[in-house]
Amino acid sequence: MNGLRRIPVCIWLAVLAIASPAVAWAETSQQAVALGRETELIAIRTLAFAGPDGPPSAGEERSKSTIHPEEGFQSGTWHLGVKTGGADTVKIFANRAPDVQFVPVFFQIGYTVTDVHGSFPVRGSLEVIFQPTFMVTTHPDTEVGGGASLLFRYNFVTGTRWVPFFEIGVGILQWGLHLERDLATQFNFTILGGPGINYFLTDELAIVGQVGLHHVSNAGRESPNVGVNSVMGLLGVSYYF
């Protein structure tokens, strides 16, 4: 301690003059390093958001809009569609089946009568469909027929592009096919229905696939009335607006 007291005051002042800037410089360097790290993190996050081509423009964001098919199944929505495919007879309500094959063409005009309701897996809405029918029989004879049906369809809204449905209905059919052992009349009634699925390409346009049963008979007005029962495979398109 006596030795320290002997150091001249001028030397102490010189030490303080050198040490004070050094301490201040060290603190400033630490702050600069911390600020540099924060700036680097901000730059990395900005590049990750922007991607290699920079941030998306407003037009690009609009062009990448998400498809929301659920909006097309609220009450008041209309849909126009067409389906076609093939059908072959099977034994269902009788111990025999006439050998009949035909190509149906179904035009559909649908109107959704309820909003989307319920919870998964039955979340959906109810639709009523008027269905004009055009039918070409390919076996045993080539004949043309026509008619119309009224269908009820329940659409299972999943919140994705895939929207399953189940429909069933009744109708009338003027059929020129002569089946002496199985169906005595040309004016007949139909029962048809089955499960299907929509795949939405846009908010309004969907591809449709369906399998179902198709029954033709005269409701017992004349005999014979075995009827024609067929399994159908259908593909089509639907437009919702």
Side-chain angles (χ1 to χ4, degrees), residues 147-167:
S149 300
L150 183 65
L151 304 174
F152 294 91
R153 175 190 288 184
Y154 190 84
N155 295 291
F156 297 88
V157 179
T158 62
T160 70
R161 295 173 184 257
W162 300 93
V163 180
F165 64 84
F166 185 88
E167 66 183 24

Side-chain angles (χ1 to χ4, degrees), residues 18-37:
I18 294 172
S20 296
V23 172
W25 177 84
E27 293 177 352
T28 302
S29 299
Q30 292 177 354
Q31 293 175 356
V33 170
L35 181 60
R37 289 177 178 173

Side-chain angles (χ1 to χ4, degrees), residues 104-137:
V105 181
F106 300 122
F107 300 94
Q108 294 192 323
I109 305 172
Y111 182 78
T112 303
V113 296
T114 69
D115 287 329
V116 175
H117 62 280
S119 58
F120 182 84
V122 295
R123 178 173 173 79
S125 60
L126 180 65
E127 183 179 1
V128 178
I129 299 174
F130 175 66
Q131 180 173 273
T133 301
F134 181 73
M135 183 181 293
V136 179
T137 306

Side-chain angles (χ1 to χ4, degrees), residues 158-218:
T158 62
T160 70
R161 295 173 184 257
W162 300 93
V163 180
F165 64 84
F166 185 88
E167 66 183 24
I168 189 168
V170 296
I172 57 175
L173 179 66
Q174 179 66 34
W175 202 6
L177 189 64
H178 299 278
L179 300 173
E180 296 181 357
R181 295 180 62 247
D182 301 293
L183 192 60
T185 55
Q186 295 186 4
F187 179 81
N188 297 284
F189 300 96
T190 61
I191 302 174
L192 67 163
I197 192 166
N198 289 290
Y199 177 76
F200 279 82
L201 302 175
T202 69
D203 280 338
E204 298 84 17
L205 185 64
I207 298 174
V208 184
Q210 185 180 6
V211 294
L213 296 176
H214 188 276
H215 169 76
V216 181
S217 67
N218 62 32

Side-chain angles (χ1 to χ4, degrees), residues 86-110:
D88 198 2
T89 50
V90 293
K91 296 179 182 180
I92 298 179
F93 303 114
N95 58 4
R96 71 174 189 270
D99 186 12
V100 177
Q101 298 175 357
F102 60 90
V103 176
V105 181
F106 300 122
F107 300 94
Q108 294 192 323
I109 305 172

